[in-house]
Amino acid sequence: MYCGDQQMAQGLVLSLISVLKNTTEPVHFYILTAQITNKKQQFLPLSDEFVGRLDHYARQFTPENSVVKFEITDLFTAEPPVANLNTSFTPNCMLRLYADLIPELPDKILYLDTDVLCRQDFSQFYHQDLSDGEIAGTLDHYGKWFFHRQLRLFDYINSGVLLLNLAQIRRSGLFAKCRQKCQRTRMFMPDQSALNRLCHTKIITDTKYNEQHRLNQDTVFQHFTTSFKFLPRFKIRTIKPWQQKLLHEELGIYEYDDLLKESTKLLTANH
């Protein structure tokens, strides 16, 4: 499952291709999109034509694959996250908190941010037992330093890669509570903060399933988050997987060049 608007198309294509190239099982992709307007800009939903192109591409790997779009403007409008609608974080991130209201979505689903790339087979992560948890994820790289040093231990997970027990989430009302929290309380990284505060049955997984800091040989999902460099001087750095020049010059990463080439072909194909 992905969430996003038209501006997320490039990251979505890259991530989707990376998943397809690292699995032998059929994959059903679900895209949640909506038309959202805040004080800064208007976010437009991904088009049927674009999603159809992705579906056609995915079926070339195996006919059992599929890409389906859910345009959930009505769901979002009925319960808008008013306290967090105009933060520096795109409201599209919060679309995943409406997944419990979409009956067509399966009981178990893997959520990925559009700046996450898959490097290796992820079947072991996906097929893990979720019977004792609502979500499975990796500790946030920076959050783990802050929260794990408190007297009261707080497992603050990064929400860029989440395995969701959607059946349990529907029963417990977790996402409904998160939507209410986002309506009433302004938060830093609102959807991630709401999930961490309100979910009490998290399963913490290995860092390799959401590597946010340094690429390692065993990394399964690499997440291109904002990072902080402290020496020789403090610097905030955000490099996304579609910024090829920065990947090369700043991170020394060349292994995604073929993915980038293929994603460009898919994005610019005649339609």
Side-chain angles (χ1 to χ4, degrees):
M1 182 173 75
Y2 294 101
C3 299
D5 67 323
Q6 288 183 3
Q7 298 176 65
M8 296 292 104
Q10 193 170 15
L12 172 58
V13 168
L14 262 177
S15 186
L16 181 144
I17 293 174
S18 74
V19 169
L20 287 169
K21 288 184 177 294
N22 286 285
T23 182
T24 56
E25 299 180 49
V27 185
H28 302 292
F29 295 95
Y30 304 97
I31 302 172
L32 275 53
T33 190
Q35 181 170 321
I36 303 170
T37 303
N38 64 12
K39 291 179 180 177
K40 299 176 182 178
Q41 60 182 306
Q42 184 179 55
F43 301 90
L44 298 175
L46 293 159
S47 70
D48 290 341
E49 183 280 325
F50 173 73
V51 175
R53 215 183 321 160
L54 296 184
D55 182 67
H56 176 74
Y57 176 84
R59 290 180 188 275
Q60 292 176 20
F61 287 79
T62 171
E64 295 173 86
N65 290 341
S66 63
V67 182
V68 178
K69 180 183 88 167
F70 292 100
E71 219 265 62
I72 61 168
T73 303
D74 290 347
L75 295 178
F76 188 88
T77 304
E79 292 185 85
V82 287
N84 295 278
L85 200 54
N86 298 292
T87 68
S88 58
F89 297 91
T90 169
N92 285 282
C93 293
M94 289 177 274
L95 292 180
R96 56 186 159 178
L97 299 180
Y98 298 80
D100 59 323
L101 301 176
I102 304 171
E104 295 89 346
L105 291 179
D107 288 344
K108 184 180 188 181
I109 194 165
L110 172 63
Y111 168 83
L112 298 178
D113 276 354
T114 54
D115 58 357
V116 172
L117 295 185
C118 183
R119 297 180 67 250
Q120 299 185 46
D121 180 81
F122 56 94
S123 56
Q124 190 173 357
F125 178 72
Y126 179 80
H127 291 297
Q128 67 179 289
D129 181 16
L130 270 188
S131 56
D132 292 329
E134 291 167 301
I135 59 178
T138 299
L139 292 176
D140 187 81
H141 177 72
Y142 292 102
K144 66 185 177 185
W145 296 107
F146 296 109
F147 295 114
H148 275 254
R149 294 175 189 277
Q150 294 183 355
L151 291 176
R152 182 178 65 85
L153 197 64
F154 179 43
D155 289 320
Y156 188 84
I157 63 171
N158 180 278
S159 60
V161 179
L162 292 175
L163 189 60
L164 305 174
N165 183 345
L166 205 50
Q168 178 59 25
I169 287 169
R170 286 171 173 140
R171 287 192 291 268
S172 69
L174 172 62
F175 281 2
K177 295 170 190 172
C178 288
R179 292 194 298 273
Q180 292 171 5
K181 187 76 173 173
C182 289
Q183 280 183 308
R184 301 169 183 167
T185 308
R186 187 179 173 91
M187 295 171 284
F188 180 67
M189 296 186 291
D191 48 320
Q192 179 170 288
S193 296
L195 281 167
N196 274 290
R197 292 179 186 181
L198 297 171
C199 179
H200 303 297
T201 54
K202 304 169 195 163
I203 297 173
I204 307 302
T205 60
D206 292 339
T207 302
K208 67 180 180 179
Y209 293 119
N210 184 356
E211 179 51 67
Q212 308 145 50
H213 183 54
R214 184 178 290 111
L215 183 61
N216 296 299
Q217 193 172 353
D218 67 344
T219 298
V220 176
F221 290 109
Q222 184 174 9
H223 188 187
F224 290 82
T225 59
T226 296
S227 62
F228 303 95
K229 189 177 180 181
F230 296 96
L231 295 172
R233 63 181 184 278
F234 181 74
K235 181 181 178 183
I236 299 175
R237 183 172 69 176
T238 302
I239 298 173
K240 295 303 181 184
W242 51 87
Q243 297 174 308
Q244 188 173 34
K245 186 177 179 182
L246 291 176
L247 286 187
H248 291 174
E249 296 177 358
E250 294 282 329
L251 301 180
I253 295 176
Y254 293 82
E255 72 169 82
Y256 302 124
D257 286 4
D258 287 345
L259 272 182
L260 283 157
K261 187 183 295 184
E262 193 157 348
S263 70
T264 300
K265 281 171 57 180
L266 184 53
L267 283 164
T268 57
N270 292 327
H271 52 86

